[in-house]
Amino acid sequence: MSLFQDLNILIVATNKSQLDEFESTRLLLEDNGCNNCIIYESLDIGIPSDIRNTDIQGCKDWFYKRFFSEKSITDIHFIISLNTNYKFYSVCAYDLLIPIVTPDWVQDSLNCNRLNKTTLYSPNPKHFFRDLEFYVSKCTFNDNEYLFYTNLIVSMGGSYTDILSTDIDFLISRSFMDPSVLVVQKGELSNDIKFIFPTWILECYKTGESVPYEEHLLASGTYTDKTQSCFNESWTKLHNKEFSIGSNILTNKNLKLDKSLKLDHNVLKFLKDLIEHNDGTVIYDELTESNTQCETIVIACHASVVKSQRSMTANLVWLFDILKLNSFVSPDSKIIYKPFKDKIFDEHINVLNASFTKYFGYQRSYIKLLVEKLGGKATTDFSKRNNFLICQIPRGRKYNTAMTLWKGKCTVVNHLWLEDCYLLGEKLDPSLKRYSTLPLTGLETHINQVPNSLFQRHNYSNDNDDLSMSVPQTMTQTTLPTQLDDIDNSDDDILNDPIELPSENEPVHTLNNSQFSAISEDDVTSSVENERIINKSLCTLRDGINLLSKTQSDLTDTTSNINSSARKTPENPSSSSSSNYLTANMGPVRNLNEQLSKNETNEHESDVIEKDDKSISVKNETKREKDTTKEQNDIILKKKRKIEPDTIKHDTRDLDDSFNENRNVDDSNDVKAKEIVETFIRKSLPENEISSIESILPIYDIRAIQTSCLDNLTNIDLCLLKLLGVQLFNEIKDEYKLNAIFAPKLLRTQKFLQSLSFTPLRYALKPDFVENLLKSVRRSKIRSTYHSIEEFCEHFGNQLIEQYSIKEISDDMKHKTELGTKIFERAHLSNVNIFQDINGGTDTIRAILESHGVKKVNILNSKFSKDDILKNDNNSNSENFTSSVTPDYLVIATKTSEVKKLKQLLINSKLQDSNDNVIDSVHIVTWNWCVNAMFTLQVDFKDPTNVLCSTMNETNA
């Protein structure tokens, strides 16, 4: 399946010299399935002169009229440009939320075989955070502070996440005792994550550039009072700085910061300075004579706290959006600009657990914000926990799965359902054509275009012909494939389950643009009058929806009666009326606090589907139909297993056959990986330094096993790593000649403990080494250019390896692995006794011990006798063995009863050698004794730690 299938992309050239480059970009897009690609030469020609840069609505109307004249174009999904020098940039980027990227995004997406994260390719010079990802800790900031800081990050082109991962560059907090900070400090995540005060973000915003962050770092290990002192000092310095750029968009506007915001006093001071720098006035108490002539806007967090306000109300999202647009717009123009409403979903009965697909860039943040403000939970992963899928384009793995395997359990809707539910404050029927029609067309149905003012919307009449959401009489259907083996990982698949789409001859009837137009400043009435009109409109709108639902239900019943004689139609459980649906439960009680798995990717445009090994039960009238359906479902599930994401499946054969699985696919991966590596090297080095790329590669000689990490590498990732000299394996075999381990920290897993027996173990690295190496190779814009091959190899060789080494594995330990003998072999422990109930299992323990030099592992059951205990073959004549004392019996015990019985048999009975009349030495230890010996690669029989019973000292005496 082509990567850019179903996408409409607009290329904007701001001068004629760009046309040649954009023409090649257009051809590349069309060769890879782009639905429509238009090159527009923007010299502001064609835009009416009366449309100013600040005329948001006029600019949107012109944009849709200019580029949507062709029926095949339903929407513009991406805009490609090299700069922002055209009138409709701000409208498209910040109002329509269309991702705007540079041409590099196209080639890099093809290299990665997925749509790359769009923020990395922003042409806006103000987006100096484009390469950075932030985590704002909710442990130290409340909801409004979180909203404040994340909007600041977005204003500077950055991205943020709610999930701690190795992709994070900065963790924003104000305390080193923050639980999020402690998690990272424990070594579970990358040490590259920097902990900083939020003052760094504010200083960058004030100065309009990325300033050094070192002064804002949280000091490691400092006391709370000292940290607070540093934090206060950072705020003082910040308040003394001036804003670099201002505007007059808030002229004659009084902004009141409501107490319900509960913002830190330093944040409130920053907001006050920001508002005044844009020619606004901040008020705190009742209006005075000096400012009663100005329009007043109350900025609050929740609608319930401003019900009594007679002024216009807004929230922080509105404030930052008008600053990005550089134009004043009414808070009533968007539903997300007003103080947030009460939640209508919960975690128990009315559950909203939504995933979304085919939304790009900041559209994803918008969908997530709406879901959360409705009381639901939004996930990028798609699993059986999700009961709603918000979809923009009817194609892809998530969509196909929801419409086939999980149909009836997961409802597919467009974003209008979320927006209308939030607008009306009620749970609406998702089966209405307005919400199930895909794809949507027109400005009125574009994402983020629903106004908050209900009295501007069309009043539904009782005549079905006048309904703005009337059901089209002529509908076409696309069908989903019954076999899913053709679905690829690009989430751009051909669909095949019935979802009704509008025919070419019958457009979807939606509310027209004039009915959704924003309120001008002169039209703003008092809040009392607004509330009266809104309440009346609410009643009218509900009546219209109920009437539409009833009409749709009647049409469905009539159609079913007509077609029942010809064929049987599967029952549609969603055909109930809207009025009944408003109070219906959304499904069984689900615990939304369960942590969902994360496999996010760079923009994370790719979609992940949870494995399901259970059969799907389908109700049928006869037993024969049941059996047939079960067989079909089993086939579908088997097919589904084949289309799981391209997660790492490391080969366990010899080195030359590491990538022989599915040779045809791997050949193309090899070619693509070679192109990416060559591009990376050419961009990193001067041309005169590159005589032969083959002479530079491979950079490394790493043959590694990995544990508890690197499970999501794709085949092309493995090809890239192999070219660079890094090979990963699933099993430990002598013929692999392994010399490295990848792990997030010092672990007690089987693979990690066995890796300490490698001869030699040259590298013990964190997975960040691989992840950052791949990120550097894939990045189109190289941050550093190296002057020579030696400098290049030094950075990616010794420096990178040293940076990501597991510190607990010292150079001294690595040197010990170069010795010709294993640890227990050097200690002359050839035979070891363990019990069958040992934690981890006898097979695992045996494999670990044998890898470290034990020749035989004897397993004891609960009814063992003296004869069952295996004596150690103590051969201590080696010159390398410094101690003459080695136990005759080494037993790893787990229970107190086992220790008592061992003491009875081996010590109390004074078991003696019949020839020499010498008391045998006994050493009874826990498994931790062995683990500590492996972690130090040294056996110390005199150390009493983790020793349960021993006669070693007595025997030695």
Side-chain angles (χ1 to χ4, degrees):
M1 191 59 60
S2 300
L3 184 60
F4 301 104
Q5 185 171 357
D6 295 321
L7 297 181
N8 302 317
I9 298 178
L10 173 65
I11 301 177
V12 180
T14 54
N15 59 67
K16 293 185 181 296
S17 62
Q18 300 171 354
L19 293 177
D20 291 340
E21 178 183 356
F22 285 155
E23 181 61 26
S24 61
T25 301
R26 183 185 66 82
L27 294 174
L28 187 62
L29 287 167
E30 291 180 349
D31 290 343
N32 287 275
C34 181
N35 187 46
N36 280 285
C37 185
I38 306 170
I39 296 180
Y40 173 69
E41 188 175 349
S42 173
L43 300 174
D44 287 343
I45 298 174
I47 302 180
S49 57
D50 59 339
I51 296 180
R52 299 170 289 113
N53 288 332
T54 56
D55 185 2
I56 304 300
Q57 188 60 45
C59 202
K60 285 192 292 186
D61 291 339
W62 172 88
F63 181 78
Y64 264 77
K65 184 178 180 181
R66 173 63 180 80
F67 297 110
F68 290 78
S69 57
E70 300 180 25
K71 291 185 178 179
S72 58
I73 300 181
T74 58
D75 204 349
I76 296 292
H77 301 107
F78 292 92
I79 295 177
I80 296 176
S81 67
L82 288 171
N83 52 50
T84 63
N85 302 330
Y86 45 96
K87 279 189 175 181
F88 53 90
Y89 169 81
S90 295
V91 168
C92 291
Y94 305 127
D95 190 288
L96 298 174
L97 301 181
I98 300 175
I100 301 178
V101 296
T102 61
D104 290 337
W105 172 79
V106 177
Q107 186 60 60
D108 288 356
S109 295
L110 289 171
N111 290 342
C112 299
N113 197 30
R114 61 171 176 252
L115 298 181
N116 270 4
K117 190 176 181 179
T118 57
T119 54
L120 295 170
Y121 302 88
S122 172
N124 192 336
K126 296 179 181 179
H127 291 172
F128 44 81
F129 276 179
R130 62 175 63 85
D131 290 332
L132 303 179
E133 183 159 343
F134 294 83
Y135 178 91
V136 181
S137 175
K138 292 184 178 180
C139 299
T140 56
F141 301 115
N142 61 39
D143 291 344
N144 293 302
E145 290 173 327
Y146 179 86
L147 191 68
F148 171 76
Y149 290 122
T150 53
N151 272 275
L152 275 175
I153 290 169
V154 170
S155 297
M156 293 177 280
S159 58
Y160 61 92
T161 178
D162 292 334
I163 301 174
L164 280 172
S165 72
T166 55
D167 293 329
I168 297 170
D169 297 295
F170 291 95
L171 191 155
I172 312 299
S173 181
R174 56 187 171 201
S175 171
F176 210 82
M177 299 307 294
D178 186 333
S180 303
V181 175
L182 296 177
V183 168
V184 179
Q185 283 294 101
K186 288 180 180 178
E188 297 179 12
L189 292 173
S190 169
N191 287 336
D192 284 349
I193 299 177
K194 301 171 184 64
F195 312 125
I196 62 170
F197 292 120
T199 48
W200 178 63
I201 298 177
L202 302 180
E203 184 177 350
C204 291
Y205 188 85
K206 262 194 168 185
T207 58
E209 61 182 2
S210 181
V211 300
Y213 59 81
E214 284 76 12
E215 292 183 1
H216 303 269
L217 286 171
L218 272 75
S220 176
T222 58
Y223 294 106
T224 304
D225 55 350
K226 187 176 180 180
T227 302
Q228 187 61 42
S229 175
C230 295
F231 193 30
N232 294 336
E233 184 179 349
S234 298
W235 276 113
T236 303
K237 292 180 180 179
L238 176 68
H239 293 321
N240 293 330
K241 292 183 178 291
E242 296 292 334
F243 283 92
S244 59
I245 300 175
S247 69
N248 60 354
I249 61 174
L250 293 176
T251 302
N252 297 327
K253 302 291 187 299
N254 292 324
L255 271 66
K256 180 179 179 182
L257 302 177
D258 191 79
K259 294 181 180 179
S260 64
L261 289 174
K262 297 180 180 179
L263 296 173
D264 181 85
H265 70 280
N266 285 302
V267 175
L268 288 172
K269 179 171 174 51
F270 179 90
L271 275 175
K272 176 181 179 295
D273 294 342
L274 177 63
I275 293 168
E276 292 176 347
H277 195 70
N278 288 276
D279 211 19
T281 303
V282 178
I283 60 174
Y284 301 96
D285 302 316
E286 295 297 326
L287 300 182
T288 62
E289 292 182 1
S290 60
N291 53 26
T292 52
Q293 302 301 318
C294 298
E295 182 181 356
T296 300
I297 302 172
V298 179
I299 299 180
C301 64
H302 200 275
S304 60
V305 301
V306 291
K307 283 184 178 180
S308 59
Q309 296 282 350
R310 300 182 62 87
S311 305
M312 186 180 293
T313 58
N315 60 24
L316 290 173
V317 178
W318 166 80
L319 178 60
F320 283 105
D321 269 18
I322 65 171
L323 293 175
K324 287 185 290 186
L325 287 166
N326 197 28
S327 174
F328 182 85
V329 295
S330 169
D332 286 321
S333 62
K334 307 280 185 192
I335 56 176
I336 60 166
Y337 285 172
K338 302 290 285 183
F340 297 116
K341 302 180 181 181
D342 292 331
K343 297 178 179 180
I344 63 175
F345 294 94
D346 55 51
E347 298 181 358
H348 304 292
I349 299 177
N350 297 325
V351 178
L352 173 60
N353 196 351
S355 182
F356 47 88
T357 182
K358 297 301 181 183
Y359 290 94
F360 311 107
Y362 290 122
Q363 296 173 359
R364 300 165 71 88
S365 301
Y366 173 81
I367 294 293
K368 186 176 181 182
L369 176 65
L370 267 186
V371 171
E372 290 176 349
K373 295 308 175 184
L374 282 167
K377 183 172 184 179
T379 64
T380 53
D381 296 342
F382 187 43
S383 70
K384 294 181 72 174
R385 297 186 184 97
N386 297 113
N387 58 350
F388 277 89
L389 177 66
I390 317 301
C391 184
Q392 181 170 223
I393 301 173
R395 191 180 299 276
R397 285 168 49 79
K398 285 185 180 181
Y399 176 81
N400 286 340
T401 303
M403 295 298 291
T404 54
L405 299 179
W406 298 340
K407 188 172 184 179
K409 297 180 180 179
C410 183
T411 305
V412 178
V413 293
N414 55 46
H415 53 263
L416 292 178
W417 180 77
L418 289 177
E419 293 174 328
D420 285 356
C421 284
Y422 183 81
L423 177 66
L424 296 176
E426 290 182 289
K427 183 169 52 184
L428 302 176
D429 185 355
S431 66
L432 292 176
K433 291 295 185 290
R434 174 173 170 82
Y435 309 132
S436 60
T437 299
L438 296 172
L440 295 168
T441 59
L443 175 60
E444 302 82 11
T445 60
H446 189 86
I447 191 171
N448 193 31
Q449 297 306 304
V450 175
N452 187 73
S453 300
L454 291 172
F455 59 87
Q456 297 175 41
R457 306 191 66 164
H458 180 71
N459 290 333
Y460 300 110
S461 68
N462 292 329
D463 186 357
N464 291 346
D465 294 335
D466 293 333
L467 286 175
S468 61
M469 293 194 302
S470 59
V471 183
Q473 299 299 316
T474 306
M475 303 294 290
T476 59
Q477 289 186 341
T478 58
T479 56
L480 290 170
T482 55
Q483 294 182 345
L484 300 180
D485 52 343
D486 292 333
I487 301 175
D488 62 20
N489 291 328
S490 64
D491 197 0
D492 296 297
D493 319 309
I494 294 186
L495 314 175
N496 267 325
D497 197 3
I499 179 167
E500 294 183 330
L501 304 177
S503 67
E504 296 182 358
N505 299 326
E506 185 71 23
V508 180
H509 296 278
T510 54
L511 305 179
N512 60 50
N513 187 56
S514 61
Q515 294 155 0
F516 275 92
S517 62
I519 312 175
S520 65
E521 298 177 30
D522 298 333
D523 295 333
V524 177
T525 60
S526 68
S527 62
V528 176
E529 180 66 14
N530 283 353
E531 187 173 356
R532 183 186 66 80
I533 299 174
I534 289 173
N535 289 337
K536 182 177 179 181
S537 299
L538 268 172
C539 298
T540 307
L541 185 57
R542 290 193 188 99
D543 292 341
I545 291 178
N546 290 338
L547 179 60
L548 173 61
S549 182
K550 184 178 185 300
T551 304
Q552 178 178 334
S553 179
D554 294 341
L555 288 173
T556 304
D557 294 340
T558 304
T559 305
S560 300
N561 293 334
I562 294 173
N563 295 336
S564 59
S565 59
R567 64 182 185 272
K568 292 184 178 179
T569 304
E571 183 181 355
N572 183 7
S574 61
S575 60
S576 58
S577 67
S578 175
S579 58
N580 292 334
Y581 191 86
L582 292 177
T583 57
N585 292 342
M586 293 295 294
V589 176
R590 295 189 179 124
N591 183 6
L592 293 186
N593 289 326
E594 295 179 11
Q595 178 65 38
L596 296 178
S597 60
K598 178 187 179 287
N599 278 335
E600 255 246 15
T601 52
N602 298 322
E603 159 98 8
H604 315 334
E605 305 286 2
S606 310
D607 301 317
V608 183
I609 299 182
E610 184 186 75
K611 292 184 179 180
D612 180 17
D613 293 330
K614 298 179 181 179
S615 299
I616 302 172
S617 60
V618 181
K619 293 184 178 180
N620 295 284
E621 295 180 359
T622 64
K623 186 174 183 298
R624 179 179 300 176
E625 289 177 342
K626 247 182 210 179
D627 295 336
T628 304
T629 304
K630 186 176 184 301
E631 293 175 1
Q632 292 175 348
N633 288 332
D634 289 339
I635 294 173
I636 291 175
L637 286 172
K638 290 178 181 177
K639 299 291 186 182
K640 176 176 175 285
R641 294 189 190 102
K642 297 180 181 179
I643 60 159
E644 291 301 323
D646 221 4
T647 52
I648 184 169
K649 300 294 181 186
H650 303 163
D651 217 339
T652 57
R653 292 166 286 186
D654 50 70
L655 293 176
D656 293 334
D657 296 332
S658 295
F659 299 98
N660 283 341
E661 218 171 41
N662 199 349
R663 191 66 247 174
N664 293 333
V665 176
D666 288 347
D667 286 342
S668 63
N669 286 335
D670 288 338
V671 173
K672 188 177 293 185
K674 188 174 181 181
E675 292 176 355
I676 295 173
V677 172
E678 287 181 354
T679 302
F680 162 68
I681 293 176
R682 294 189 188 281
K683 288 185 177 181
S684 301
L685 290 170
E687 292 185 7
N688 58 354
E689 285 289 328
I690 305 175
S691 57
S692 171
I693 292 181
E694 286 74 14
S695 64
I696 302 175
L697 299 175
I699 301 174
Y700 308 100
D701 179 23
I702 297 177
R703 300 176 298 279
I705 194 80
Q706 88 285 348
T707 177
S708 302
C709 62
L710 301 179
D711 294 327
N712 302 314
L713 296 179
T714 63
N715 286 334
I716 194 170
D717 289 336
L718 293 176
C719 291
L720 287 170
L721 291 172
K722 185 178 180 182
L723 284 173
L724 296 169
V726 179
Q727 290 183 294
L728 302 177
F729 297 85
N730 250 355
E731 295 180 348
I732 298 176
K733 292 185 178 181
D734 292 338
E735 56 264 33
Y736 296 160
K737 298 180 180 179
L738 300 176
N739 63 0
I741 175 72
F742 284 106
K745 58 181 180 178
L746 200 69
L747 298 175
R748 295 165 56 96
T749 63
Q750 178 181 355
K751 288 182 179 179
F752 195 97
L753 293 175
Q754 285 188 269
S755 72
L756 298 174
S757 70
F758 293 169
T759 51
L761 176 65
R762 297 191 183 278
Y763 311 103
L765 301 171
K766 296 182 178 181
D768 305 346
F769 171 84
V770 168
E771 293 167 356
N772 285 334
L773 179 62
L774 290 173
K775 188 183 296 184
S776 298
V777 171
R778 289 181 180 276
R779 182 176 287 129
S780 63
K781 297 180 181 179
I782 306 301
R783 293 182 179 178
S784 302
T785 301
Y786 305 93
H787 298 91
S788 64
I789 294 177
E790 291 74 17
E791 183 183 352
F792 172 83
C793 293
E794 174 66 20
H795 172 77
F796 285 97
N798 297 335
Q799 292 182 14
L800 208 61
I801 288 174
E802 182 179 354
Q803 181 180 357
Y804 296 109
S805 293
I806 299 175
K807 304 304 180 185
E808 292 83 356
I809 307 298
S810 63
D811 292 338
D812 181 57
M813 285 184 61
K814 294 174 185 176
H815 176 70
K816 290 180 181 179
T817 63
E818 296 178 358
L819 301 175
T821 54
K822 308 283 187 176
I823 172 178
F824 292 129
E825 186 179 354
R826 295 194 294 272
H828 299 280
L829 290 174
S830 56
N831 301 330
V832 174
N833 298 274
I834 65 174
F835 284 89
Q836 62 182 9
D837 60 349
I838 190 170
N839 291 336
T842 55
D843 292 340
T844 299
I845 301 302
R846 177 192 283 115
I848 295 172
L849 291 173
E850 289 178 350
S851 68
H852 283 279
V854 175
K855 295 180 180 179
K856 187 173 182 179
V857 178
N858 183 46
I859 300 174
L860 302 173
N861 58 32
S862 58
K863 299 180 179 179
F864 68 96
S865 63
K866 286 191 297 184
D867 296 335
D868 295 325
I869 306 173
L870 183 63
K871 190 174 183 179
N872 182 37
D873 184 9
N874 186 356
N875 180 17
S876 58
N877 296 325
S878 172
E879 296 178 0
N880 295 330
F881 188 55
T882 57
S883 174
S884 60
V885 179
T886 304
D888 294 299
Y889 293 93
L890 181 70
V891 185
I892 302 173
T894 58
K895 297 178 181 178
T896 306
S897 59
E898 295 168 350
V899 177
K900 289 181 178 180
K901 189 172 182 180
L902 287 168
K903 290 173 66 177
Q904 177 69 29
L905 295 175
L906 298 179
I907 300 175
N908 296 341
S909 63
K910 300 185 182 293
L911 183 63
Q912 298 179 352
D913 185 279
S914 57
N915 297 325
D916 299 330
N917 293 325
V918 177
I919 299 176
D920 291 320
S921 57
V922 179
H923 209 55
I924 306 173
V925 297
T926 66
W927 172 243
N928 286 336
W929 181 86
C930 298
V931 172
N932 289 341
M934 296 175 203
F935 280 162
T936 58
L937 292 182
Q938 180 178 352
V939 175
D940 185 2
F941 292 112
K942 296 181 180 180
D943 186 359
T945 306
N946 296 313
V947 177
L948 301 175
C949 180
S950 178
T951 62
M952 295 286 292
N953 294 334
E954 299 173 8
T955 305
N956 191 34

